[in-house]
Amino acid sequence: MLSFTIMAITFGVIFLAELPDKTALAGLMLGTRYKASYVFVGVAAAFAVHVVLAIAAGSVLTLLPHRLLQAIVGVLFLAGAAMLLFKKDEDDEEVKAPADQSFWKVSGAGFMLILVAEFGDLTQIMTANLAARYDNPLSVGIGAVLGLWAVAGLGIVGGRTLMKHVPLRLITKVAACLMLALAGFSLFEAIAG
């Protein structure tokens, strides 16, 4: 059953967690060199693959006893919050883009970049956690994909403008606080039963 509340929560958590990530910057760099729509198609397809993998992993977690599952999810949310809070700023990475500007070359470069860079990334882990937490793979999947696509679109089209108005540290701290709240709620459920 589709839940707009779960979709909205997932969208918010994933959006905020992905916004300060290096892949948003990589999308920005590709988007400034090549046709934005071509880059977005490749990036969006790679994010969809990652969400499907994360949902599958999260669905496997739901087979565990409820209290153990809540404890695992809580600890993973705490780890995600810690990763965001203690993450060191990284220099911009140079993205090698194709010399050929055809749709297949540009979207393929975007797809491969995100597919490799995001494998096992924080947002993929968070999506698996949310899928396990809410046991609603469709709602979590849609929310996660939309959150990742929104960040990709912002990164490709307007990343520079957003970063001028909203400090990256603020975005990171808000995402970490959301994850801490989810961790607390999950751990409380694990302890209280």
Side-chain angles (χ1 to χ4, degrees):
M1 177 160 70
L2 195 61
S3 167
F4 290 105
T5 304
I6 293 172
M7 283 175 32
I9 290 168
T10 303
F11 177 89
V13 168
I14 298 301
F15 180 85
L16 289 171
E18 184 64 23
L19 201 54
D21 196 55
K22 65 182 178 289
T23 54
L25 297 173
L28 170 69
M29 292 169 62
L30 281 174
T32 58
R33 296 179 192 174
Y34 299 100
K35 190 169 182 177
S37 61
Y38 292 4
V39 174
F40 183 77
V41 167
V43 168
F47 276 136
V49 169
H50 277 287
V51 168
V52 167
L53 293 173
I55 295 295
S59 296
V60 169
L61 286 175
T62 62
L63 300 174
L64 296 173
H66 182 71
R67 292 179 86 168
L68 178 60
L69 172 64
Q70 292 305 321
I72 291 170
V73 169
V75 167
L76 290 173
F77 274 126
L78 279 175
M83 285 173 63
L84 283 176
L85 288 172
F86 301 114
K87 175 179 159 183
K88 294 183 180 184
D89 294 331
E90 298 175 2
D91 296 330
D92 291 356
E93 295 179 9
E94 184 62 30
V95 177
K96 291 192 176 185
D100 181 0
Q101 298 225 7
S102 71
F103 171 79
W104 293 110
K105 295 283 186 178
V106 172
S107 62
F111 178 84
M112 290 308 296
L113 173 71
I114 298 303
L115 191 67
V116 171
E118 288 290 306
F119 199 77
D121 192 55
L122 175 65
T123 52
Q124 192 175 32
I125 294 166
M126 300 315 316
T127 301
N129 287 346
L130 290 165
R133 167 98 179 87
Y134 292 113
D135 197 19
N136 189 331
L138 182 61
S139 299
V140 170
I142 290 171
V145 164
L146 292 176
L148 291 167
W149 287 358
V151 171
L154 283 173
I156 292 167
V157 180
R160 288 182 184 156
T161 304
L162 179 67
M163 295 302 170
K164 285 180 185 175
H165 298 295
V166 181
L168 189 58
R169 287 186 176 190
L170 175 63
I171 294 166
T172 303
K173 293 209 186 295
V174 168
C177 287
L178 278 172
M179 286 182 210
L180 284 172
L182 288 168
F185 187 69
S186 295
L187 291 172
F188 174 77
E189 278 191 349
I191 294 167

